[in-house]
Amino acid sequence: ARNALLLNSAGEGIFGVDRDGHCIFINPMALELLGLTEDEAIERPVDELFEHRDAEDRRYGPADCPILLTLGDGVTRQLEDTLIRRDGSRRAVRMTVTEIREGRQRIGVEVVFQDISARRAMERELERLATTDPLTGVTNRRQFIERCEQELVRHKRFEHPLSLLMIDVDHFKRINDSHGHAIGDAVLIHLCALAAEQLRRTDVFARLGGEEFAFLLTGSDLDGAMEFAARFCRQVESRPALTDAGKIALTISIGASQASRRDRSADDLLRRADGALYRAKQGGRNRVEAGAL
């Protein structure tokens, strides 16, 4: 009776599994978290109660399911996984799987789990805030530099082409001075929406600060980057921003650089692109210039 009271009042989901993999007991919290009734759970194979996925969102098979592994070897396992209920909803859980012994014999396992979905959501939101620009939602400077460093390492190891574009909105101060900062913000958001149409899955687009942006183009040499940049310039020029102040036409200047094995850090790649951007602006704007290797 004391054990039943502890089981039923626990704030964690708890269920037991026998040597054949069938549920032999389950507490009310586990039933609530799994969306089941006791009749639907007791004496049912555990793989019929929920779908179990690992941290990489891969479905467990018999060879790697932590519940079945502990049934086999008795080793306690602690992990964070995802349970998919019968209705398709997901629960992120922290789970502990421990053997149940009777005398010297292992007769099953006990699974204790907590719903950590809220914590996971908070972690994702904190990561988003730390890696994205709050106005436009694109990658921020810090995250962009980190990605550049990672891609430079791959470039040097595998000799994959890698290029960078630095972008500046031409005469952006005039837009702010003429229409106000709210309209200027709308123009920047519009530019990011246009950039999203051009992005491949492996590329990165970021706001470096103010009206300055950058593309990191993986798998693109300088010729490919220049072609990409020219196409983006034409796209921006042909599609004005629709704002509360009406249509706002804009153009951009772009400096391009290609990664070299001599680059010691992302700063080298950025510096060449920045020099090319300066030449593009000095040469009349709304144009693309390439940085020397």
Side-chain angles (χ1 to χ4, degrees):
R2 184 166 56 250
N3 289 341
L5 177 63
L6 291 172
L7 181 69
N8 291 332
S9 62
E12 301 169 316
I14 304 172
F15 63 87
V17 178
D18 65 15
R19 293 281 305 195
D20 295 323
H22 292 76
C23 178
I24 51 176
F25 63 82
I26 188 166
N27 76 340
M29 180 58 70
L31 292 172
E32 180 182 336
L33 292 174
L34 296 176
L36 299 172
T37 65
E38 189 169 10
D39 288 341
E40 292 173 324
I42 296 299
E43 298 185 359
R44 304 297 299 175
V46 68
D47 60 2
E48 293 183 9
L49 306 185
F50 54 84
E51 185 179 326
H52 194 190
R53 292 179 179 263
D54 65 15
E56 302 298 324
D57 203 34
R58 295 172 299 200
R59 184 171 184 173
Y60 282 114
D64 53 12
C65 173
I67 296 174
L68 299 182
L69 288 174
T70 298
L71 273 173
D73 59 22
V75 175
T76 297
R77 289 175 168 83
Q78 294 181 320
L79 57 157
E80 292 188 1
D81 282 347
T82 300
L83 303 184
I84 303 178
R85 309 195 312 173
R86 286 182 176 181
D87 63 4
S89 61
R90 290 171 171 250
R91 298 278 180 143
V93 298
R94 179 189 289 118
M95 177 183 294
T96 301
V97 187
T98 310
E99 69 173 350
I100 302 173
R101 300 191 70 85
E102 190 174 272
R104 302 180 64 179
Q105 184 178 5
R106 185 182 317 117
I107 62 171
V109 297
E110 180 183 67
V111 180
V112 180
F113 64 103
Q114 299 170 310
D115 187 345
I116 58 170
S117 301
R119 195 204 76 190
R120 284 266 187 93
M122 182 175 65
E123 288 173 349
R124 287 193 297 269
E125 178 63 11
L126 289 173
E127 181 179 2
R128 185 191 68 80
L129 292 173
T131 59
T132 60
D133 173 62
L135 172 66
T136 62
V138 301
T139 300
N140 63 17
R141 183 185 186 92
R142 177 186 175 195
Q143 180 69 6
F144 184 76
I145 298 298
E146 186 175 318
R147 282 294 306 274
C148 283
E149 298 290 0
Q150 294 169 356
E151 293 301 332
L152 269 176
V153 171
R154 293 190 183 96
H155 163 74
K156 291 181 178 181
R157 182 175 180 183
F158 301 110
E159 298 186 351
H160 293 162
L162 177 67
S163 295
L164 186 146
L165 304 178
M166 287 192 69
I167 301 162
D168 191 84
V169 179
D170 296 333
H171 303 298
F172 183 69
K173 186 176 184 300
R174 293 182 187 174
I175 296 175
N176 274 339
D177 291 345
S178 299
H179 303 286
H181 289 280
I183 299 300
D185 288 348
V187 168
L188 298 181
I189 293 170
H190 168 73
L191 178 69
C192 292
L194 296 180
E197 295 178 8
Q198 299 294 329
L199 276 178
R200 300 170 303 178
R201 185 178 60 84
T202 56
D203 296 335
V204 183
F205 182 71
R207 185 185 184 193
L208 302 185
E211 68 273 22
E212 193 171 72
F213 296 82
F215 277 106
L216 185 65
L217 305 176
T218 59
S220 293
D221 60 14
L222 188 58
D223 288 340
M226 292 289 286
E227 181 180 339
F228 180 101
R231 184 168 63 249
F232 188 51
C233 273
R234 293 192 297 270
Q235 179 191 26
V236 172
E237 184 178 21
S238 66
R239 293 173 62 179
L242 303 178
T243 74
D244 292 341
K247 291 184 179 180
I248 305 293
L250 67 151
T251 61
I252 55 176
S253 299
I254 301 180
S257 63
Q258 180 177 333
S260 164
R261 293 189 66 83
R262 297 189 300 273
D263 291 334
R264 291 171 295 178
S265 70
D267 287 340
D268 296 327
L269 191 58
L270 284 162
R271 185 171 56 252
R272 291 198 304 278
D274 191 44
L277 174 60
Y278 177 81
R279 292 194 299 276
K281 292 162 69 176
Q282 291 296 108
R285 294 183 169 84
N286 192 23
R287 56 187 289 126
V288 182
E289 290 285 346
L293 287 174

